[in-house]
Amino acid sequence: MYHAKFQIWVGRLQQVFPVTHRYKCSATKAILSDPAIPTLDVAYITDPRNTHKIDKLIQSRKGKGDIHLVQKLWKEYNEETIEKMKSKKYEKFMLEACKIPNQAHSVLDSYGIEPKIVKYINDKRKFDFQPRDFADLCQKCDLLKTEFLGFLAGHKSYILKDSLAELEQALIQRTCDELLKKGFSLISVPDFLPSHVIEGCGMDIKAERGQVYTLDPSLHGDLCLSGTSEMAIAGFLSNQVLNVDELPLKLAAVSRCYRAEISSSFDERGIYRVHQFTKVEMFGVTKNDISQSEALLQEFVDIQSELSASYGIHCQLLDMPLHELGAPAYRKFDIEAWMPGRNMFGEISSSSNCTDFQARRLNIKYESGEDTYFCHTVNGTACAVPRMLIALLETFQNRYADTINIPEVLWPYMNYQKLLTPPVFPLKMRYIKSW
Amino acid sequence: MRFSSRIFVWKLSSTFGISGLSNESCFMSTQPLCKFKKINQIEVYRIKSGQLAALSECYFSRSCYTAAVVRPESYLTIPGALGRQVDSLVKPCIDKMQLVDFQRLQYNLNERGYRLNARELLELWKNYEDIIAEKAKIESRRKENSKIGKQLNKKSGCDLQKEFDTVKETGIKLRNEAKRIQKILEEIEVPTMMKLLSLPNDYCDEPFKTLSFGEPSGYSVSGDENIVLALNSPDSFHFMTKENAFLELKFCNKLLQYLLNQNCRLISPPDFVKSAIVEGCGIDYSEVFTMNEQDSSDPFRVVGGASLPAMCTLVARTTLRNETPLRFSTLGRCYSVSDGTNIFESSQRTCVQSLSLVNNEQSSGEVDFMVDKLINFYSVLPVHFRVSKAPLSSLKRYEKAKISFEMYSQSKKKYIEFACVSNIGEFISRRLNVYFHPRGEGQFVNFVFSTCIDFNAFVHCWNDNGRPSLVE
């Protein structure tokens, strides 16, 4: 009898993957309702000795921020004597100061505009036939619906079907299992966040409105759709004081990510760049010590490399140059997978050390003895589903393109299915084009 | 005036009749527009050059163009003249049989709390149908008259002049009659269709015996452990940590694998849908999230991939040739507007959903099948739950009947639904045009929709009942 054999392995898995991290949580107060008050390193950014260095950093990052304006506003604030005016001047100063990007690792000064290739992962597969691209493969195997979906669900929408949808679930499950083995704790996060949380993570909602979806404010107040669970996790930790014994804290979340950015580039066709996708994210918190956060960053990069290597896809690990870093990042590593059907490398994961940039804006601290300090935060993609699917299908396609090999590590998660094939009973649905 | 409404640019003749139509476009108004008059539910505004952003200058000459701003009350119906010129996303088919037995309909409306009079609705519909029939008659007579005219044309002779005049006079009379009828039709079309589309599904009389499984725990708890309220105004969201997050990942996946072994096909639908899809499912816009799109008359609705509207995007406006039952499952997020602070009232829920496409005869058997499968899954767990038929008053608009799976919440002192199987019948397929091949009346696909788990409700009850060990 099926139900007699049915087992749920939650209990056993809890023994294998013990939940080790204990952090405070409250069930009564809405923790994202109150914005955190940023506490910037004012001494550093207003010190005239640092002006040139910060200015050069802003120019190299091609980012926003004007250090001269910041220092001018600081001077005006200090010279102001009327209390009311002083607080207004302080607000103005903080607004501009928050735009100043994070410092960067000194090694990046030598990189120029090209990333440094740290290493290659796996060998590139040699094909004795012209490899097809992802869209072609899915059409042959009837695994993806994009046609006629735009009218119903918008541009760039897609439906994964049958074994491709199962592969998505397999990737998510395996990634989470591997992260749990490495001491991560799972957290389930909201996909909708108030704008102050997103801005606290270093994203300027107003300037980058093209990237962030917002909900109708007259109906839903100030709510945005989260582009990555990094923001929600950082929001969860905001205004919290962690115990030093809890650090380094490693959290992982599976979430639906929403990004409004569009691209008409041929290379980014299909599901390469979409508005909604599932991602497994890693988020880490360390003490206020650059060596610790760098070590955690390296650990994240190692995990990403291991995961990519285990699938058998050819990748390159890149140490990103200054202009590729977002405002919060001190250092960033990307992994790009070879996509034979597109004949190009495509980014499948990214890891950043944000040092205390986010912690200062979201008030994430830890206590050690009687003192509290700002944490360092690190984040990284463990698995971004659409691009991983592209890399897997295009790498492991077979000559006649109606079967695709599944990497061995995913077999247990696919009911030991070894091939992606067209469904036994294809869907015979015809869209009504005209009435 | 909402500048975000759909704007059609019409060229007006000197008598202010509508004589031409530009492409359907959405424009942002750069200045407040001057209201002119209302024509066929369309609010008409007078505009001049430069008042509408992105409107090509070629539309403007010395004449004054007027923008017709449409405020769609329904995305399923397009009013009057526009309906003929614009290709609508879906064309709903009213279930006339529901109106025949108006006592049954009135009972249905009363039980569900709808303040509508069935008899009045029936009369409204009959009136509408009578006008359609009259219009058809007039059109038929016009064709006949036109035929006669053509025949007369072929003949020759001066004694035919009288007959020509008679045909011409008849033609003018019939044309005026047709215009009159058309005007009446356009005036009543939208309110009639709107009223009928607001009707709920019929209901199912089949009895169901309440079943109970497992022993009540007798556990006494004080709330949800490791569940953190993220936001609560105006909508509520939560974080889940530790074992709750772990269980969400593993338990839902286990249920999904179980369903796949029951011949369900896994899909991963989109999270955004058009308004017509939401409305086609009989869901109010107030229940879903709306995107902030100032320059669009039809903003996207954010429903989550694991929701009924999202799953309907696979089948809306299609004809189906597969043998049925055809079952689809999905695992993911379901979003709905809610300001309750409890985890089971959260605006974001993780769900495993299943949509079965069946024919009329298979409908009730499919409900039994899904109920059996869910009972098989949950009955091996050390939890107490009951399975019962939900009362008519608790059904959603699109539901004919629902079998509800509930666990007892110690802290809330009530049963909370964590799974259900809903018989929807043809309700949605009539609105979203889902047919069996060949397409036609009587060929609508029946839906059975199952929330195999609403994890938020399940985890609340699991926490509440002492977190029984879900082990081998």
Side-chain angles (χ1 to χ4, degrees):
Chain A
M1 295 270 283
Y2 183 82
H3 69 263
K5 291 181 187 172
F6 178 75
Q7 293 141 0
I8 297 182
W9 295 92
V10 173
R12 177 179 283 194
L13 279 168
Q14 282 178 326
Q15 290 161 21
V16 176
F17 310 133
V19 175
T20 54
H21 297 290
R22 300 279 175 246
Y23 39 86
K24 296 176 200 167
C25 39
S26 162
T28 52
K29 193 176 183 301
I31 63 173
L32 298 185
S33 300
D34 300 326
I37 297 170
T39 310
L40 304 183
D41 191 353
V42 173
Y44 175 77
I45 57 176
T46 56
D47 188 341
R49 290 172 295 182
N50 297 327
T51 308
H52 174 71
K53 183 174 152 192
I54 296 171
D55 195 28
K56 200 174 157 207
L57 189 69
I58 294 169
Q59 302 307 321
S60 309
R61 287 195 188 225
K62 296 180 186 171
K64 296 171 206 70
D66 183 344
I67 187 61
H68 303 285
L69 176 61
V70 167
Q71 290 181 345
K72 178 176 163 235
L73 289 170
W74 178 247
K75 194 177 168 202
E76 283 174 12
Y77 161 73
N78 281 316
E79 287 169 358
E80 183 58 59
T81 50
I82 303 167
E83 207 52 50
K84 260 189 188 170
M85 294 303 294
K86 206 171 169 79
S87 66
K88 277 191 179 162
K89 290 224 152 108
Y90 185 73
E91 269 178 42
K92 254 186 163 175
F93 160 74
M94 283 299 284
L95 207 67
E96 288 305 317
C98 280
K99 293 178 187 172
I100 303 296
N102 200 358
Q103 298 178 54
H105 197 293
S106 55
V107 77
L108 302 183
D109 292 335
S110 59
Y111 283 7
I113 58 168
E114 290 297 324
K116 181 184 169 196
I117 299 176
V118 177
K119 65 175 179 179
Y120 289 101
I121 299 165
N122 294 326
D123 294 323
K124 201 188 270 192
R125 177 184 168 183
K126 290 190 175 64
F127 287 85
D128 56 1
F129 59 93
Q130 180 61 35
R132 290 174 185 262
D133 81 355
F134 180 81
D136 259 351
L137 293 166
C138 289
Q139 197 194 15
K140 272 276 180 179
C141 296
D142 192 25
L143 297 174
L144 180 73
K145 178 178 165 75
T146 52
E147 222 182 7
F148 302 122
L149 203 51
F151 305 120
L152 307 171
H155 179 57
K156 283 277 189 177
S157 47
Y158 60 96
I159 301 178
L160 305 178
K161 298 192 287 182
D162 298 307
S163 42
L164 193 62
E166 291 174 43
L167 186 59
E168 177 189 37
Q169 291 301 321
L171 283 167
I172 293 166
Q173 292 294 322
R174 183 180 180 252
T175 305
C176 290
D177 284 348
E178 294 302 309
L179 293 180
L180 288 167
K181 281 180 196 165
K182 294 188 189 304
F184 282 77
S185 287
L186 280 177
I187 178 171
S188 176
V189 299
D191 298 329
F192 296 9
L193 299 170
S195 59
H196 65 82
V197 173
I198 295 176
E199 284 168 347
C201 290
M203 215 168 179
D204 185 351
I205 299 256
K206 293 181 189 71
E208 296 185 56
R209 194 173 281 282
Q211 282 210 30
V212 179
Y213 283 117
T214 54
L215 297 180
D216 189 333
S218 64
L219 299 170
H220 309 297
D222 170 32
L223 272 185
C224 307
L225 300 187
S226 173
T228 162
S229 55
E230 165 202 342
M231 299 174 187
I233 299 174
F236 176 75
L237 296 169
S238 74
N239 290 324
Q240 280 209 44
V241 181
L242 306 169
N243 196 299
V244 69
D245 298 331
E246 299 176 74
L247 304 180
L249 180 64
K250 296 191 292 191
L251 298 169
V254 183
S255 73
R256 202 71 180 152
C257 301
Y258 301 100
R259 298 185 186 179
E261 55 200 298
I262 51 173
S263 169
S264 51
S265 157
F266 181 71
D267 286 341
E268 298 190 347
R269 63 192 181 278
I271 70 165
Y272 185 90
R273 191 177 294 282
V274 287
H275 296 309
Q276 42 202 286
F277 61 98
T278 302
K279 183 162 68 70
V280 184
E281 179 79 1
M282 300 182 283
F283 193 90
V285 184
T286 70
K287 287 198 289 194
N288 187 8
D289 179 344
I290 195 73
S291 62
Q292 286 212 6
S293 51
E294 281 291 279
L296 189 61
L297 175 66
Q298 189 55 51
E299 186 181 337
F300 282 17
V301 171
D302 290 342
I303 290 170
Q304 289 167 337
S305 304
E306 240 181 77
L307 285 169
S308 306
S310 69
Y311 295 130
I313 50 177
H314 172 64
C315 301
Q316 58 186 16
L317 172 63
L318 305 173
D319 192 354
M320 303 308 287
L322 274 170
H323 71 92
E324 293 282 357
L325 268 53
Y330 172 82
R331 196 169 186 191
K332 185 168 110 157
F333 288 91
D334 280 2
I335 292 186
E336 294 184 345
W338 180 247
M339 298 174 176
R342 288 162 195 251
N343 200 36
M344 68 174 221
F345 279 101
E347 181 192 323
I348 57 168
S349 69
S350 183
S351 292
S352 301
N353 180 2
C354 298
T355 62
D356 62 358
F357 186 93
Q358 293 175 332
R360 283 182 174 277
R361 282 153 177 76
L362 293 171
N363 199 28
I364 305 172
K365 288 181 166 177
Y366 70 96
E367 61 185 355
S368 180
E370 288 181 8
D371 294 320
T372 59
Y373 306 91
F374 286 107
C375 299
H376 279 198
T377 60
V378 180
N379 64 81
T381 316
C383 178
V385 169
R387 295 206 188 156
M388 186 59 85
L389 290 177
I390 294 173
L392 288 174
L393 265 67
E394 291 188 2
T395 300
F396 296 112
Q397 61 183 289
N398 293 313
R399 175 184 279 274
Y400 296 107
D402 57 355
T403 62
I404 297 141
N405 296 332
I406 297 171
E408 196 174 331
V409 292
L410 290 173
W411 292 352
Y413 299 91
M414 297 279 296
N415 265 333
Y416 289 92
Q417 192 183 330
K418 295 177 185 176
L419 290 174
L420 286 184
T421 54
V424 173
F425 301 105
L427 285 178
K428 294 177 203 163
M429 286 181 180
R430 191 167 289 176
Y431 184 77
I432 301 167
K433 286 182 195 169
S434 65
W435 301 112
Chain B
M1 186 197 101
R2 277 190 67 203
F3 299 138
S4 60
S5 300
R6 188 184 303 151
I7 297 177
F8 298 83
V9 176
W10 304 78
K11 183 176 177 180
L12 297 191
S13 69
S14 56
T15 54
F16 301 109
I18 295 173
S19 64
L21 173 67
S22 71
N23 293 329
E24 177 188 352
S25 300
C26 292
F27 300 105
M28 272 288 282
S29 181
T30 55
Q31 304 166 26
L33 303 186
C34 175
K35 190 167 177 177
F36 179 55
K37 61 200 265 183
K38 203 168 182 177
I39 304 173
N40 295 342
Q41 308 302 318
I42 302 165
E43 296 193 26
V44 180
Y45 297 81
R46 196 188 293 272
I47 58 161
K48 291 186 180 171
S49 173
Q51 280 192 305
L52 284 187
L55 182 60
S56 169
E57 283 298 305
C58 71
Y59 284 105
F60 295 98
S61 62
R62 283 185 195 169
S63 17
C64 173
Y65 283 79
T66 301
V69 179
V70 177
R71 300 186 190 203
E73 290 176 69
S74 165
Y75 289 91
L76 294 185
T77 64
I78 309 273
L82 294 170
R84 288 190 297 282
Q85 305 216 29
V86 175
D87 187 21
S88 58
L89 187 59
V90 286
K91 285 193 190 289
C93 302
I94 301 294
D95 182 6
K96 298 170 206 173
M97 292 310 295
Q98 211 182 351
L99 296 166
V100 168
D101 185 348
F102 59 83
Q103 279 171 340
R104 182 184 172 91
L105 176 60
Q106 191 62 61
Y107 172 77
N108 191 13
L109 293 170
N110 291 344
E111 286 297 306
R112 293 187 195 234
Y114 284 75
R115 288 185 197 167
L116 292 168
N117 186 304
R119 204 182 278 273
E120 278 175 21
L121 286 169
L122 180 60
E123 280 169 19
L124 194 69
W125 176 249
K126 277 189 175 156
N127 183 39
Y128 178 73
E129 283 206 303
D130 288 344
I131 293 173
I132 297 273
E134 203 183 322
K135 182 185 167 186
K137 260 192 210 160
I138 292 171
E139 289 303 321
S140 165
R141 283 171 60 192
R142 283 183 78 188
K143 275 187 188 155
E144 247 184 73
N145 193 54
S146 170
K147 232 186 198 174
I148 295 170
K150 281 178 187 166
Q151 282 168 356
L152 286 174
N153 255 342
K154 287 179 186 169
K155 295 180 189 174
S156 58
C158 31
D159 55 336
L160 293 173
Q161 188 55 45
K162 240 187 180 172
E163 289 180 48
F164 266 122
D165 289 340
T166 312
V167 166
K168 192 175 170 186
E169 229 176 272
T170 311
I172 292 170
K173 263 193 198 151
L174 287 172
R175 191 180 66 206
N176 289 337
E177 194 58 26
K179 270 188 187 168
R180 185 189 69 84
I181 285 289
Q182 182 60 27
K183 195 176 173 190
I184 295 172
L185 186 64
E186 283 168 8
E187 273 169 15
I188 68 164
E189 187 174 66
V190 168
T192 305
M193 295 301 278
M194 289 286 300
K195 276 235 159 70
L196 293 170
L197 286 171
S198 72
L199 285 176
N201 204 347
D202 191 14
Y203 62 92
C204 203
D205 289 313
E206 276 178 46
F208 184 88
K209 188 182 164 195
T210 299
L211 305 167
S212 186
F213 298 89
E215 294 299 322
S217 70
Y219 196 82
S220 163
V221 288
S222 56
D224 292 312
E225 207 176 313
N226 299 322
I227 291 173
V228 182
L229 184 63
L231 292 164
N232 67 347
S233 182
D235 305 293
S236 75
F237 294 89
H238 293 78
F239 290 96
M240 281 193 281
T241 61
K242 302 182 188 172
E243 290 85 359
N244 300 310
F246 188 82
L247 201 63
E248 182 190 43
L249 179 75
K250 291 296 168 191
F251 190 84
C252 292
N253 185 60
K254 205 73 187 178
L255 174 55
L256 187 68
Q257 297 305 320
Y258 171 76
L259 290 172
L260 296 183
N261 286 328
Q262 313 304 322
N263 292 325
C264 284
R265 304 171 75 139
L266 186 59
I267 59 172
S268 185
D271 301 86
F272 305 157
V273 297
K274 288 282 196 176
S275 304
I277 303 297
V278 170
E279 201 177 331
C281 291
I283 295 172
D284 282 340
Y285 296 122
S286 60
E287 295 175 48
V288 300
F289 288 98
T290 303
M291 294 277 259
N292 186 21
E293 294 174 354
Q294 295 294 334
D295 56 355
S296 169
S297 64
D298 187 7
F300 280 104
R301 313 290 173 169
V302 188
V303 294
S307 65
L308 178 58
M311 296 185 84
C312 286
T313 57
L314 180 67
V315 297
R317 197 169 158 165
T318 55
T319 54
L320 181 68
R321 290 166 191 254
N322 290 88
E323 278 192 25
T324 52
L326 193 55
R327 298 183 189 109
F328 299 100
S329 285
T330 188
L331 158 62
R333 304 284 208 222
C334 179
Y335 308 117
S336 57
V337 171
S338 166
D339 60 1
T341 54
N342 297 298
I343 181 66
F344 57 87
E345 296 163 325
S346 189
S347 294
Q348 172 181 309
R349 288 166 287 126
T350 299
C351 296
V352 176
Q353 312 273 30
S354 182
L355 178 65
S356 306
L357 307 181
V358 292
N359 62 37
N360 213 7
E361 288 78 37
Q362 295 169 323
S363 190
S364 117
E366 181 65 14
V367 170
D368 292 340
F369 175 85
M370 289 305 299
V371 168
D372 275 342
K373 291 303 168 194
L374 291 178
I375 288 174
N376 277 350
F377 181 86
Y378 286 111
S379 61
V380 299
L381 304 179
V383 295
H384 162 64
F385 67 97
R386 72 177 185 191
V387 184
S388 58
K389 186 173 178 182
L392 191 49
S393 53
S394 71
L395 295 187
K396 298 202 173 77
R397 182 181 287 146
Y398 56 82
E399 290 170 329
K400 256 170 111 161
K402 181 169 79 169
I403 307 300
S404 188
F405 287 65
E406 297 165 307
M407 281 168 73
Y408 190 73
S409 165
Q410 303 286 353
S411 58
K412 305 299 170 193
K413 301 275 180 275
K414 62 178 182 177
Y415 276 92
I416 292 176
E417 183 182 282
F418 67 93
C420 64
V421 179
S422 302
N423 187 349
I424 296 175
E426 295 178 347
F427 185 84
I428 293 179
S429 54
R430 280 183 167 274
R431 296 154 81 96
L432 294 182
N433 308 124
V434 187
Y435 300 91
F436 284 110
H437 179 78
R439 178 166 43 127
E441 190 65 38
Q443 290 297 318
F444 290 105
V445 173
N446 278 239
F447 286 14
V448 172
F449 183 69
S450 310
T451 297
C452 302
I453 190 169
D454 173 347
F455 182 77
N456 289 42
F458 181 85
V459 81
H460 166 80
C461 296
W462 179 68
N463 271 308
D464 234 30
N465 284 279
R467 303 166 141 215
S469 177
L470 302 172
V471 292
E472 184 178 13

